[in-house]
């Protein structure tokens, strides 16, 4: 394989490595299969065009055609001829997928499921980048320019994530880019002839060059310096290095905490609610007969961009936690209870779900702390995945009359000062003033705002509504009256603050379905957001403005009842299903209810497909195929050795020995009879020795005689080994097979080969032995030579066909006919 073909393969592999950042966008791996297929087809088309000696424009056309065929195959559905040849309907389908991708971008949050529009765009993007990388690195011989399209891929997750992303994809992509640069430079150096050391000595192909090693070290140091330099400059932040190994909580399950207990709770909630599948997250057991929602986060900071969380502060969890801020347990009715929680791997956050007002927590280490103001349990260096813990808590109950007695906070009160600030939005101010007009206490003001979010006023649940908690987003929600719990909670909190009452947004889980043997299993469908309002003497009181008809495990209360069903008993639980939730019984004896269409009517239960998706089987098959391909060289080497061993182990066909003018030691080994078979056996043993030397990266010079090769082998790899005599025997057998009229007997050749091979392997280091076992260079060298010979033969045939075509069709050219 010539250098351009080799560099083309490296360009394709580097493109796949540079696509690693896309893994931060998708929850699955279908994008890798489809995008990798596009890269493979583009690379194959480029190699084919170069094998036919096509010019650069022909290579470009071949790559574009391959990309188009690949996209047609994967996404053309029934619009293509034979499933591969695009038609006008195919391009119309592509246009629909582009439009669909735009809608999915607006409605989805990372990591997104395998959405068809986004998969189409990612496959198209990877194929386009593969074309640009091949053109820059191979066609123009400017591999450094290939870094620009690779950088475009890395910019995608950087643009999507609000905060920094993990550096792992950047490292993987940089490895591909460095590989491409090294391959190009090695090819350029090889054009000068042999490689050299700094002392001017020639370096064999298997011997590492000090200059190459120095270059690799400089490249590694350069990348590390580029990553670590921001840490050394006081004016610069740690960037993505500071968030190494961190994820964004719920949406990055299993990737660890962000290191500061802060996550984009709104984005995570929206993304999980919009996921197609159902994932078990929390299993909770409690002796509380009427619990409220479990909570794990709070968004209490607000700006023009919407709500956000602030850095929690507190003390390590212990058996005695401080009382929740602002709650006087002696003034209200309360219920003491205990709960045990088991978290699955699907809920990986630096936050732990607990019921409000925990008094003690057990079975957690010192990595976890409790913030009494936010009433959350958080960590700066651990995540919640697969934790189990137990805690005691107090559930407070309020009555409307009690809350009406809460005095208005002074302007200097810290809660009034911090949690009633809100950007001014004229439309919201007008609506709030209208609703609270004539109300004489804070509770009645909050109830007037709370009662506004009812189906009677046209509000409907819609999980597909655009997300956002800014002032403009709140105004849009109040106009459109369609949204899910995120919009309801944020809008009520915004409006309550507009009425100069402290409010914030809480995040957690609803009650879910019925308990199974006392255990409630909470899934991503039970994730929820609600509003908490601060009342002096009562602390933070929850108000859930989302219509309970659409909330699985909704828990209306006496002070915040279901305004659309006033006949429901206060404090009762109204299990139901929101659009997108799974239908059917929610536990033994649990209620079963069909989802309700926001436009009215019953849309029927949504079934959850428990079968594995197709891409899992395709990916599994791809993994098996990849393993088979990786093991093929080792299997080929084993088969070749076995075949040679069988031949050399065969008994000589001749029965006696003849004197041929050699030494006494040689007389016992010469044969008569089938001398051709003996020669073949000697050649097989010698070939095995040469392959063993190549596999262990020992110098092999085809121009040397067998005796010179054996002498150099003994001096370099077997200086003090008992196998030296066995090596001399193999060299003598090869010499006799080549030049003597009668060869040596093959009886001792097989043990000799085995002894020499073991001695050579014993002198080699572990890496060389591993390479010789799994990826033997002798086999790869044979395949490379065979491929080169095949491409050469194909080029000769194509040249002959081209010459025949010119001779046959030349006289028929229009120019000649018109002369």
């Amino acid at each position: 394989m010539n250098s351009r073909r080799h560099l083309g393969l490296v360009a394709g592999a580097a493109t796949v490595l540079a696509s690693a950042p896309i893994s931060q966008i998708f929850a699955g791996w279908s994008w890798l299969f489809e995008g990798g297929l596009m890269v493979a087809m583009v690379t194959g088309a480029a190699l084919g065009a170069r094998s036919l000696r096509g010019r650069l424009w022909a290579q470009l056309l071949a790559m574009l055609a391959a990309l188009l065929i690949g996209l047609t195959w994967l996404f053309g559905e029934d619009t293509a001829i034979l499933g591969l040849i695009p038609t006008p309907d195919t391009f119309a389908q592509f246009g629909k997928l582009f439009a669909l991708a735009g809608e999915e971008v607006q409605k989805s949050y990372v990591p997104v499921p395998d959405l068809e529009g986004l998969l189409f765009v990612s496959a198209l993007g990877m194929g386009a980048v593969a074309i640009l990388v091949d053109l820059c690195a191979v066609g123009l011989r400017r591999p450094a320019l290939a870094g620009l399209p690779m950088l475009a891929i890395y910019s995608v997750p950087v643009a999507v994530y609000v905060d920094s992303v993990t550096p792992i994809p950047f490292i993987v992509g940089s490895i591909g880019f460095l590989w491409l640069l090294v391959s190009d430079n090695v090819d350029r150096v090889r054009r000068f002839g042999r490689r050299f050391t700094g002392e001017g000595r020639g370096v064999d192909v298997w011997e590492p060059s000090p200059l190459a090693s120095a270059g690799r070290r400089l490249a590694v140091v350069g990348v590390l310096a580029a990553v670590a330099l921001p840490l050394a400059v006081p004016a610069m932040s740690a960037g993505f290095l500071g968030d190494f190994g961190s994820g964004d909580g719920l949406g990055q399950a299993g990737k660890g905490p962000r290191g500061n207990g802060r996550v984009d709770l709104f984005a995570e909630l929206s993304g999980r609610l919009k996921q197609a599948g159902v994932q078990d997250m929390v299993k909770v057991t409690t002796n509380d007969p009427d619990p409220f929602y479990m909570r794990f986060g709070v968004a209490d900071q607000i700006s023009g961009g919407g709500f956000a969380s602030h850095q929690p502060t507190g003390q390590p969890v212990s058996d005695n936690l401080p009382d929740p801020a602002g709650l006087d347990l002696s003034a209200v009715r309360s219920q003491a209870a205990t709960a045990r929680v088991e978290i699955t791997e699907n809920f990986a956050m630096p936050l732990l779900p607990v019921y409000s007002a925990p008094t003690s927590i057990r079975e957690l280490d010192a990595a976890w702390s409790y913030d009494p103001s936010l009433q959350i349990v958080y960590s700066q260096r651990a995540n919640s995945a697969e934790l189990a813990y137990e805690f005691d808590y107090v559930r407070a109950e309020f009555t409307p009359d009690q809350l009406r007695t809460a005095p208005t906070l002074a302007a200097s009160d810290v809660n009034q000062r911090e949690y009633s600030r809100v950007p001014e939005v004229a439309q919201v101010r007008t609506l709030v003033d209208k609703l609270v007009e004539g109300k004489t206490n804070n509770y009645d003001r909050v109830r007037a705002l709370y009662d506004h979010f009812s189906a009677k006023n046209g509000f409907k649940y819609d999980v597909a509504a655009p997300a956002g908690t800014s002032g403009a987003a709140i105004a849009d929600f109040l106009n459109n009256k369609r949204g899910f719990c995120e919009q309801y909670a944020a809008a009520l909190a915004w409006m309550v603050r507009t009425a100069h009452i402290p409010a914030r947004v809480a995040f957690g889980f609803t009650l879910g379905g019925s308990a199974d043997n006392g255990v409630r299993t909470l899934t991503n469908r039970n994730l929820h957001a609600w509003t908490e309002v601060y009342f002096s003497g009562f602390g933070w009181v929850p108000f859930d403005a989302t219509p309970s008809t659409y909330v699985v495990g909704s828990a209306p209360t006496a002070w915040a009842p279901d305004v659309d069903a006033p006949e429901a008993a206060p404090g009762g639980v109204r299990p139901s299903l929101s659009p997108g939730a799974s239908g059917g019984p929610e536990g033994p004896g649990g209620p079963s209810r069909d989802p309700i269409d926001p436009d009215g009517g019953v849309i029927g239960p949504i079934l959850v497909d428990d079968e594995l998706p197709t891409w899992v089987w395709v990916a599994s098959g791809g993994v098996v195929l990849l393993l088979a391909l990786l093991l093929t060289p080792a299997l080929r080497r084993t088969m070749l050795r076995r075949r040679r061993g069988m031949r050399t182990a065969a008994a000589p066909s001749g029965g006696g020995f003849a004197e041929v003018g050699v030494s006494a030691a040689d007389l016992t080994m010469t044969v008569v009879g089938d001398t051709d078979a003996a020669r073949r056996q000697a050649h097989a043993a010698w070939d095995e020795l040469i392959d063993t030397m190549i596999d262990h990266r020992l110098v092999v010079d085809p121009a040397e005689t067998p005796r010179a090769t054996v002498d150099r082998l003994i001096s370099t790899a077997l200086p003090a080994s008992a196998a030296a005599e066995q090596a001399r025997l193999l060299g003598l057998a090869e010499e006799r097979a080549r030049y003597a009229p009668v060869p040596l007997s093959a009886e001792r050749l097989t043990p000799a080969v085995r002894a020499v091979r073991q001695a050579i392997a014993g002198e080699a280091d572990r890496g060389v032995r591993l390479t010789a076992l799994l990826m033997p260079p002798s086999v790869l060298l044979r395949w490379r030579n065979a491929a080169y010979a095949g491409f050469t033969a194909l080029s000769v045939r194509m040249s002959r066909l081209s010459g025949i075509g010119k001779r046959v069709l030349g006289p028929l050219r229009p120019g000649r006919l018109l002369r």
Side-chain angles (χ1 to χ4, degrees):
M1 183 177 294
N2 62 33
S3 60
R4 296 185 69 194
R5 293 168 185 155
H6 170 73
L7 194 60
L9 292 176
V10 174
T15 302
V16 175
L17 293 177
S19 303
I22 300 180
S23 63
Q24 304 291 299
I25 306 300
F26 288 95
W29 292 97
S30 296
W31 68 270
L32 181 58
F33 169 75
E34 296 177 351
L37 180 61
M38 296 300 100
V39 174
M41 295 185 67
V42 167
T43 303
L47 291 177
R50 283 191 282 270
S51 299
L52 298 177
R53 303 185 184 276
R55 296 186 178 182
L56 186 59
W57 62 266
Q59 299 173 26
L60 176 60
L61 290 180
M63 290 187 288
L64 290 174
L67 178 59
L68 179 59
I69 292 173
L71 293 174
T72 303
W73 181 27
L74 291 180
F75 302 99
E77 296 182 351
D78 298 329
T79 62
I81 301 174
L82 301 177
L84 295 175
I85 303 176
T87 63
D89 292 337
T90 304
F91 292 100
Q93 172 68 12
F94 290 166
K96 294 178 182 179
L97 290 175
F98 266 116
L100 179 61
E103 297 177 1
E104 292 169 350
V105 168
Q106 295 179 354
K107 296 181 180 181
S108 303
Y109 286 79
V110 292
V112 300
D114 293 333
L115 303 177
E116 186 178 12
L118 294 180
L119 288 176
F120 170 76
V121 172
S122 65
L124 174 61
M126 289 180 63
V129 170
I131 293 175
L132 295 176
V133 170
D134 190 273
L135 286 177
C136 294
V138 186
L140 302 177
R141 297 311 299 263
R142 296 292 186 271
L145 291 178
L148 294 178
M150 292 182 179
L151 184 62
I153 296 180
Y154 180 73
S155 65
V156 174
V158 175
V160 170
Y161 279 87
V162 177
D163 297 318
S164 299
V165 298
T166 171
I168 300 299
F170 171 78
I171 295 174
V172 174
S174 65
I175 291 174
F177 183 54
L178 291 176
W179 184 16
L180 185 61
L181 294 179
V182 169
S183 299
D184 178 75
N185 282 275
V186 167
D187 175 63
R188 292 175 184 270
V189 171
R190 282 177 177 171
R191 295 182 182 182
F192 293 98
R194 295 178 62 86
R195 297 188 300 160
F196 292 93
T197 66
E199 302 172 352
R201 178 175 61 85
V203 181
D204 188 79
V205 67
W206 298 116
E207 185 178 353
S209 169
L211 292 178
S213 300
R216 288 190 290 269
R217 287 194 293 269
L218 288 175
V220 173
V221 171
V223 172
L224 294 178
V227 173
L229 181 62
L231 298 179
V233 181
M236 300 178 69
S237 65
F240 63 77
L241 189 62
D243 289 327
F244 179 81
S246 64
D248 285 330
L250 214 57
Q252 301 292 330
K255 294 187 178 181
R258 293 189 56 81
N260 57 9
R262 298 173 64 182
V263 294
D264 187 350
L265 294 169
F266 286 99
E268 305 299 355
L269 174 64
S270 175
R272 285 291 183 168
L273 289 177
K274 294 177 180 179
Q275 278 187 332
V278 178
Q279 295 179 333
D280 292 345
M281 291 187 168
V282 176
K283 297 180 183 297
V284 58
T285 305
T286 179
N287 57 2
D288 189 346
D290 190 20
F292 193 65
Y293 301 155
M294 295 190 76
R295 60 201 302 281
F296 55 75
V298 171
D300 54 0
Q301 303 296 303
I302 194 170
S303 63
F307 284 89
S309 305
H310 80 271
Q311 175 67 44
T313 58
Q315 66 183 46
V317 295
S318 63
D319 291 339
N320 296 304
L321 300 180
D323 294 333
L327 176 59
D328 183 5
L329 293 175
S330 62
V332 299
R333 178 184 175 186
S334 61
Q335 171 74 44
T338 300
R340 179 166 184 80
V341 177
E342 296 179 3
I343 299 178
T344 71
E345 62 181 4
N346 297 319
F347 186 83
M349 294 186 68
L351 302 166
L352 291 181
V354 294
Y355 290 114
S356 296
T359 57
S360 66
I361 302 179
R362 297 174 290 278
E363 302 180 33
L364 292 178
D365 56 30
W368 294 93
S369 300
Y370 175 70
D371 187 327
S373 176
L374 298 177
Q375 297 174 249
I376 64 172
V377 181
Y378 67 96
S379 176
Q380 296 183 351
R381 57 183 186 274
N383 72 54
S384 58
E386 299 182 339
L387 283 181
Y389 53 95
E390 187 176 281
F391 63 95
D392 299 324
Y393 66 96
V394 174
R395 176 175 54 83
E397 297 182 357
F398 316 100
T399 65
D401 292 337
Q402 286 177 319
L403 296 177
R404 287 188 178 98
T405 63
T408 300
L409 295 173
S412 59
D413 185 271
V414 62
N415 292 300
Q416 182 69 27
R417 187 175 64 252
E418 294 293 330
Y419 303 123
S420 62
R421 294 183 301 179
V422 64
E424 189 68 22
V425 179
Q427 178 182 345
V428 177
R429 168 64 63 183
T430 300
L431 178 61
V432 169
D433 290 343
K434 176 182 178 182
L435 294 175
V436 303
E437 183 179 3
K439 307 301 180 184
T440 58
N441 59 77
N442 283 347
Y443 173 75
D444 287 339
R445 297 186 184 98
V446 174
R447 273 299 303 272
L449 301 175
Y450 171 82
D451 292 346
H452 177 69
F453 296 98
S454 68
K456 300 174 183 178
N457 292 326
F459 283 89
K460 298 179 180 180
Y461 190 98
D462 185 3
V463 74
T469 61
S470 65
I474 298 299
D476 291 340
F477 169 68
L478 294 175
N479 287 330
N480 300 329
K481 299 183 178 182
R482 303 176 74 94
F484 55 103
C485 58
E486 174 180 310
Q487 281 87 1
Y488 281 95
L492 178 59
W494 193 294
M495 295 173 69
V496 170
R497 287 193 176 199
T498 303
H500 306 292
I501 302 173
R504 65 190 186 186
V505 179
F507 298 84
F509 293 93
T510 65
L511 298 181
S514 301
D516 183 4
N517 294 326
V519 179
R520 293 181 183 271
T521 299
L522 306 179
T523 71
N524 56 314
R525 290 290 182 259
N526 304 129
L527 288 167
H528 194 51
W530 62 94
T531 307
E532 292 182 340
V533 182
Y534 189 84
F535 290 90
S536 179
F538 301 94
W540 293 98
V541 179
F543 287 81
D544 186 5
T546 306
S548 60
T549 304
Y550 301 96
V551 179
V552 180
S554 175
T557 59
W559 63 91
D562 182 357
V563 295
D564 292 320
E567 70 279 5
V573 179
R574 293 177 50 83
S576 59
L577 291 177
S578 62
S582 60
E586 300 183 33
S592 175
R593 183 169 179 174
D594 291 337
I596 300 177
D597 192 322
D599 295 324
V602 177
I603 62 177
I606 298 178
L607 301 179
V608 179
D609 188 5
D610 293 331
E611 296 183 0
L612 290 176
T614 304
W615 72 266
V616 174
W617 297 105
V618 175
S620 300
V623 171
V624 173
L625 179 61
L626 179 61
L627 291 176
L629 291 176
L630 293 177
L631 292 176
T632 299
L635 294 175
R636 172 60 180 167
R637 184 72 178 92
T638 301
M639 294 173 60
L640 186 59
R641 182 182 295 122
R642 180 175 300 176
R643 188 172 69 229
R644 289 169 175 170
M646 291 173 61
R647 289 179 178 176
T648 56
S653 57
F657 298 93
E659 294 186 8
V660 291
V662 295
S663 64
D666 297 334
L667 289 176
T668 60
M669 296 186 59
T670 57
V671 300
V672 294
D674 191 355
T675 57
D676 291 337
R679 284 192 174 89
R680 288 195 299 270
Q681 292 160 2
H683 291 326
W686 180 253
D687 291 340
E688 179 62 26
L689 175 63
I690 296 299
D691 284 352
T692 300
M693 294 174 63
I694 294 176
D695 290 342
H696 292 85
R697 299 189 178 183
L698 298 177
V699 177
V700 175
D701 188 349
E704 289 181 338
T705 64
R707 183 171 302 181
T709 300
V710 169
D711 290 342
R712 185 158 43 78
L713 170 63
I714 294 174
S715 62
T716 56
L718 307 173
S721 174
E725 292 300 324
Q726 306 296 332
R728 288 193 177 94
L729 173 61
L730 295 175
L732 178 60
E734 178 65 12
E735 283 187 344
R736 293 291 299 269
R738 290 185 185 182
Y739 311 121
V742 180
L744 296 185
S745 171
E747 293 177 353
R748 291 174 52 191
L749 298 185
T750 297
V753 170
R754 186 178 299 111
V756 174
R757 183 170 64 244
Q758 293 175 353
I760 292 176
E763 294 294 330
D765 57 36
R766 182 180 301 175
V768 172
R769 291 199 303 269
L770 186 62
T771 302
L773 176 64
L774 299 179
M775 199 65 63
S778 61
V779 174
L780 301 181
L781 180 62
R782 279 192 176 84
W783 288 352
R784 186 162 59 247
N785 293 337
Y788 181 78
F791 280 121
T792 302
L794 179 62
S795 298
V796 172
R797 292 190 182 95
M798 295 303 298
S799 299
R800 291 176 179 174
L801 292 176
S802 178
I804 295 174
K806 289 180 180 180
R807 289 194 299 270
V808 174
L809 301 178
L812 301 179
R813 287 183 299 175
R816 299 191 61 177
L817 295 176
L818 295 176
R819 289 175 184 175

